[in-house]
Amino acid sequence: MSAPFSPSRRALLFGRSEAAPAPRPFRPPWARPEPEFTAACTRCDACIRQCPQHVLVRGADGLPRFDPRAGECTFCGNCVSACTQGAFDRSRDPPWSLLAQVADTCLSALSIVCTSCRETCPTSAIRIPPAARGAASVDASRCTGCGACVSVCPVDAISLHHAEIPEVVA
Ligand code: SF4
Ligand code: SF4
Ligand code: SF4
């Protein structure tokens, strides 16, 4: 009996990659929409160097990315001021579409008391049920996507995501 004609086998035979599109990167706050940002940015690293929180990193594409595992964006605006190429738009409000989300690996969902994320959140956007009777939750109306809660979670249960429909990156 012949092997099933799987998508991966089809890709091998016809030389096409069927890998999922790359996730949309987290750009710095106030970055212009992805096509405009990538066209304007000269990969000079000026914004990365001026970030006092050290939360901007150079990605594999040479462009700056926000890494919430490195800490919190305080929305100081230094990255915007550092850019001389027009890659940012200070009038964007909010400055990006990032929101925090909590996975079901949250310790509080397992009846283990933990309040690290709630104590760290500068906008009081995180709720944790009393006596660890359920997972932490994020109030999207208060969350700024600053990332402060991400690195403090002892079980990496918090991540950021783009709130609107993802912009696919080719
Ligand atoms: S706004 Fe400030 S803290 Fe946030 S990425 Fe830009 S320079 Fe860093
Ligand atoms: S820090 Fe992590 S484990 Fe602790 S309550 Fe928040 S999401 Fe849950
Ligand atoms: S991303 Fe920032 S504002 Fe949002 S829940 Fe985490 S700490 Fe609070």
Side-chain angles (χ1 to χ4, degrees):
M1 191 166 65
S2 62
F5 197 64
S6 69
S8 58
R9 187 165 167 240
R10 186 188 306 124
L12 189 69
L13 288 173
F14 295 105
R16 280 188 289 119
S17 168
E18 299 205 356
R24 181 178 163 195
F26 297 161
R27 296 302 179 202
W30 295 285
R32 291 186 182 278
E34 185 69 8
E36 296 171 38
F37 184 79
T38 56
C41 175
T42 60
R43 299 162 171 78
C44 70
D45 290 349
C47 57
I48 296 173
R49 287 194 300 271
Q50 291 303 314
C51 176
Q53 301 296 112
H54 307 293
V55 293
L56 296 183
V57 297
R58 172 178 262 252
D61 56 5
L63 296 162
R65 296 180 180 218
F66 169 52
D67 180 6
R69 292 165 304 178
E72 171 189 3
C73 171
T74 59
F75 303 102
C76 68
N78 282 16
C79 49
V80 184
S81 302
C83 181
T84 58
Q85 303 300 318
F88 293 83
D89 175 5
R90 193 63 195 254
S91 70
R92 296 194 85 179
D93 183 20
W96 56 21
S97 63
L98 298 182
L99 282 180
Q101 62 187 4
V102 182
D104 57 12
T105 50
C106 167
L107 292 176
S108 189
L110 305 173
S111 303
I112 300 169
V113 173
C114 175
T115 58
S116 299
C117 56
R118 187 181 67 194
E119 289 165 18
T120 306
C121 178
T123 61
S124 303
I126 297 181
R127 303 275 179 273
I128 298 176
R133 286 194 293 263
S137 61
V138 177
D139 179 347
S141 69
R142 300 180 75 97
C143 176
T144 62
C146 73
C149 55
V150 172
S151 64
V152 300
C153 177
V155 291
D156 295 330
I158 304 186
S159 58
L160 299 185
H161 66 103
H162 290 284
E164 80 276 67
I165 296 169
E167 202 181 297
V168 172
V169 179

